[in-house]
Amino acid sequence: MLTEEHFIPFHASNLTGRKVLVLAPHPDDETLGCGGSLALHAEAGDPVRVVFLTNGAGGDISGKYNREAYIRLRREEALSACGCLGITDVVFWPYEDRALGIDDRLTVDLIGLIDAFEPALIYAPSPAEYHPDHRAASWSVEKALRACGADAELFFYEVNQPLSVSHLVDITPVLQKKIKALKCYQSQLAERPYDDVAIALNRFRSMTLPAGMTHAEAFQKAAFDGGLENEGTTEIWKAADRVDQSDP
């Protein structure tokens, strides 16, 4: 019988000390999924670039904004949030919200980005996420890494679907920075309490960590052998693929 350590870490990992690329399908994904870790990278002096892949126009669930004004607002919120985390290298790509992955353009663009920026560590949404843009970003960056042969580690973060975890990062020292960054996304918080949900998940993720580590972010390290790092995660990979194939 496998022990608990096979399924969840009982220690915190330190992922700082590397050049970091963050892929966020929408403004707020970077803070929800790995904002605390990004603050730790910034405090350590690591070069960090955040690339927002879509314009986020689909986030206006209530339909109360002018489209162009809403896109500008989401950019402003993203810049403010990244500033709270200590990040100034921010790039906005023009893909339409909910349109990632409809062709190979994203993979081609990511190959160019990875070749030019040469990151050592890439954060991206997990392939198990239920938002189609999140899954498209995950699969596209994996294809891009295979194509360009870059020597970068890929860590998947969780936003709307919990992961089977390979690494936990203690974000207790920078928790207030993450909370402040989340508060910058008022357009999104008006729709749903994303900040409360994210911080609650971070609290839950600390369950197996030593006393004093009250909040953590969870990641799954990709292993480029057709799956994820831990044996216990294989079904997530397969289930995500089944979900994607069922999309209309």
Side-chain angles (χ1 to χ4, degrees):
M1 181 69 67
L2 297 173
T3 61
E4 297 93 333
E5 290 83 359
H6 183 82
F7 299 98
I8 187 78
F10 279 73
H11 66 278
S13 295
N14 181 1
L15 300 181
T16 63
R18 287 176 272 188
K19 190 176 186 179
V20 177
L21 175 63
V22 187
L23 302 179
H26 316 96
D28 74 359
D29 289 327
E30 81 300 336
T31 303
L32 291 166
C34 55
S37 297
L38 300 186
L40 291 171
H41 283 292
E43 287 188 355
D46 298 344
V48 179
R49 175 175 294 178
V50 177
V51 178
F52 294 101
L53 304 179
T54 77
N55 56 24
D60 183 17
I61 300 172
S62 60
K64 63 182 179 181
Y65 290 94
N66 167 274
R67 172 184 162 85
E68 295 306 317
Y70 184 71
I71 292 173
R72 287 195 300 271
L73 173 61
R74 297 213 65 182
R75 286 193 174 204
E76 292 166 2
E77 291 176 339
L79 289 170
S80 296
C82 287
C84 292
L85 300 175
I87 299 166
T88 57
D89 188 353
V90 180
V91 179
F92 295 92
W93 283 5
Y95 286 92
E96 282 295 326
D97 200 338
R98 304 190 74 86
L100 288 183
I102 59 175
D103 54 36
D104 290 330
R105 287 182 301 153
L106 178 59
T107 300
V108 172
D109 286 344
L110 287 173
I111 290 171
L113 172 64
I114 293 167
D115 280 342
F117 188 63
E118 298 182 334
L121 172 61
I122 300 176
Y123 291 113
S126 107
E129 294 274 301
Y130 58 73
H131 194 296
D133 283 344
H134 292 206
R135 299 198 309 276
S138 176
W139 294 329
S140 294
V141 70
E142 196 257 356
K143 287 191 293 183
L145 282 170
R146 289 180 185 277
C148 66
D151 185 21
E153 292 186 313
L154 175 59
F155 282 77
F156 295 124
Y157 59 79
E158 54 188 1
V159 176
N160 55 43
Q161 179 78 320
L163 282 167
S164 184
V165 183
S166 66
H167 292 69
L168 290 170
V169 173
D170 174 29
I171 65 167
T172 310
V174 293
L175 179 62
Q176 293 307 312
K177 287 187 177 182
K178 176 164 182 169
I179 292 173
K180 185 177 180 181
L182 287 169
K183 295 297 184 186
C184 293
Y185 287 110
Q186 287 299 311
S187 68
Q188 303 310 291
L189 301 183
E191 304 286 354
R192 290 193 176 96
Y194 294 111
D195 54 342
D196 290 345
V197 174
I199 298 304
L201 179 59
N202 296 153
R203 179 67 178 125
F204 168 75
R205 286 305 190 188
S206 72
M207 184 171 62
T208 59
L209 296 181
M213 297 184 181
T214 64
H215 292 75
E217 288 173 345
F219 300 96
Q220 177 58 262
K221 183 181 177 182
F224 291 98
D225 56 2
L228 302 177
E229 189 171 77
N230 286 353
E231 292 178 21
T233 62
T234 304
E235 287 307 311
I236 288 183
W237 202 239
K238 293 178 180 177
D241 186 52
R242 288 196 295 269
V243 170
D244 186 66
Q245 290 174 4
S246 70
D247 282 347

